[in-house]
Amino acid sequence: MHLDDLPFSHEATITAIDWDSLSERDGRRLRELGFDEGVAIEPLHGAGFMVRDPIAVRIGRMTVAIRRAHAAAISVAPLS
């Protein structure tokens, strides 16, 4: 399952990130924000009623916004 498919308010663990599908800049940004294998993550909400992009996710103690295209590069395993 990819992060963009994970329902909101469901915790998961990052199992893999397809770094090759991301630009160098985007990959570096995600690494700097703490995205890596084994990290707990939880999608919180989308941008709005009619807009699906970006999505807010909790990673560690931070809440960050990422594009759905980037979330599609992140494989996750739901915790429950």
Side-chain angles (χ1 to χ4, degrees), residues 5-72:
D5 298 325
L6 187 67
F8 295 134
S9 302
H10 284 75
E11 294 183 46
T13 300
I14 297 174
T15 57
I17 300 176
D18 183 6
W19 297 111
D20 293 335
S21 69
L22 302 169
S23 70
E24 182 178 331
R25 179 180 175 199
D26 293 334
R28 182 176 58 241
R29 177 180 177 262
L30 291 181
R31 285 187 183 99
E32 289 173 351
L33 290 172
F35 286 77
D36 203 357
E37 292 178 17
V39 173
I41 193 164
E42 177 185 3
L44 299 174
H45 55 84
F49 180 68
M50 298 297 287
V51 181
R52 293 179 34 102
D53 205 25
I55 59 173
V57 297
R58 179 177 298 137
I59 182 162
R61 295 186 306 174
M62 294 186 302
T63 301
V64 298
I66 64 170
R67 297 182 185 274
R68 283 195 176 270
H70 298 158

